[in-house]
Amino acid sequence: VLRALIFDVDGTLADTERDGHRPAFNAAFTEHGLDVRWSVEEYGRLLKITGGHRRIAADLRTRGMGDEADEIAQRIHTTKTALFRESILAGTIVARPGLVELVESLTAARLRVAIATTGRRSWVEPLVARLLGEGIAEVVVTGDDVSRLKPDPEVYRLALEQLELPASQAMAVEDSAVGLAAATAAGLATVVVTNGYTVAQDFTGAAVVLAAFADPEPLTAGRCRDIHR
Ligand code: XBP
Ligand code: MG
């Protein structure tokens, strides 16, 4: 039986990569006096590297920076995290269409809701509270809580542990191939809801691949149970 849905955040709850992270990374580069600007195309490629700090460090290394890349990346990422948190508190990030209705359907059907993301807790918590409602996600596991980021399954294993459920009683909701790999390695069936950045990726092994939460028919608790069976 299905007891819980574990949601990814970036690209799944909202189009955060497009509307929030990329502009915040670019603003942080400027603030630190670096002549780096990630285009949509370039950022799409860089998304394979999970974790903002690792993403910056990898890019700085391809620009010829050596040992100092990690430390500079850390500083830029601290600025980026603060900027992104501010934009969340200002209300600039909105839920993907159909997400709020899905979550309402889940809580009405007494299905539990959890979060498993590689993002940082300082912005994840206010964003999740804002999009889903305060206290709706009973478990929130972030990049601060694990030592290995997706595609490693650690974040999903920790979420299951905190839910006190076996993988067979939960399902993941993801937007990317990296996230699908993490959830699958934790033993979870996975619903993939693609977005502009991920639509062309390979989702072999997903329980179902959808282009939207609400289109052509709404994803509901009942449909989640059918997919899980
Ligand atoms: C998202 C990430 C994160 C964000 C940036 O992956 O990899 O690193 O892009 O957030 P997923 P931070 O959707 O699989 O969780 O800067 O806080 O890392
Ligand atoms: Mg994602």
Side-chain angles (χ1 to χ4, degrees):
V1 268
L2 182 63
R3 301 259 180 239
L5 257 71
I6 308 175
F7 288 84
D8 167 50
V9 174
D10 289 311
T12 299
L13 301 186
D15 269 322
T16 45
E17 302 294 1
R18 187 193 62 195
D19 300 337
H21 289 299
R22 190 182 68 91
F25 281 113
N26 284 335
F29 288 134
T30 304
E31 241 180 70
H32 286 261
L34 263 86
D35 189 21
V36 178
R37 252 201 88 78
W38 287 343
S39 67
V40 171
E41 207 195 3
E42 200 174 1
Y43 190 66
R45 283 193 298 272
L46 285 164
L47 280 174
K48 282 189 207 76
I49 305 158
T50 51
H53 160 241
R54 293 174 64 236
R55 189 171 300 144
I56 297 166
D59 184 67
L60 294 181
R61 270 186 229 104
T62 65
R63 290 169 201 269
M65 209 175 272
D67 292 342
E68 71 277 27
D70 270 308
E71 202 195 304
I72 295 170
Q74 195 65 67
R75 284 208 296 274
I76 297 169
H77 189 241
T78 299
T79 302
K80 178 262 164 185
T81 299
L83 289 171
F84 187 49
R85 188 182 143 88
E86 272 169 36
S87 80
I88 285 163
L89 296 178
T92 56
I93 306 286
V94 297
R96 288 186 67 179
L99 175 80
V100 170
E101 292 80 355
L102 167 61
V103 171
E104 278 168 8
S105 165
L106 296 176
T107 50
R110 292 175 179 264
L111 286 174
R112 301 164 70 196
V113 174
I115 297 290
T117 174
T118 67
R120 306 312 294 261
R121 185 169 289 276
S122 74
W123 64 259
V124 168
E125 275 192 335
L127 182 65
V128 167
R130 195 172 192 107
L131 298 184
L132 304 191
E134 205 77 55
I136 295 295
E138 54 176 289
V139 162
V140 177
V141 185
T142 72
D144 294 26
D145 309 314
V146 294
S147 49
R148 292 173 307 271
L149 300 181
K150 298 176 188 176
D152 190 282
E154 188 179 353
V155 69
Y156 277 108
R157 291 208 173 117
L158 204 54
L160 287 166
E161 204 177 297
Q162 292 183 14
L163 286 165
E164 298 185 40
L165 288 178
S168 61
Q169 292 181 16
M171 205 155 62
V173 185
E174 273 286 354
D175 69 306
S176 71
V178 169
L180 170 64
T184 305
L188 288 158
T190 305
V191 174
V192 173
V193 187
T194 62
N195 59 48
Y197 273 121
T198 65
V199 67
Q201 295 177 356
D202 179 5
F203 295 116
T204 307
V208 67
V209 182
L210 309 171
F213 284 106
D215 191 32
E217 54 172 313
L219 186 60
T220 57
R223 198 166 157 214
C224 288
R225 286 192 168 120
D226 287 342
I227 293 165
H228 183 254
R229 260 193 276 272

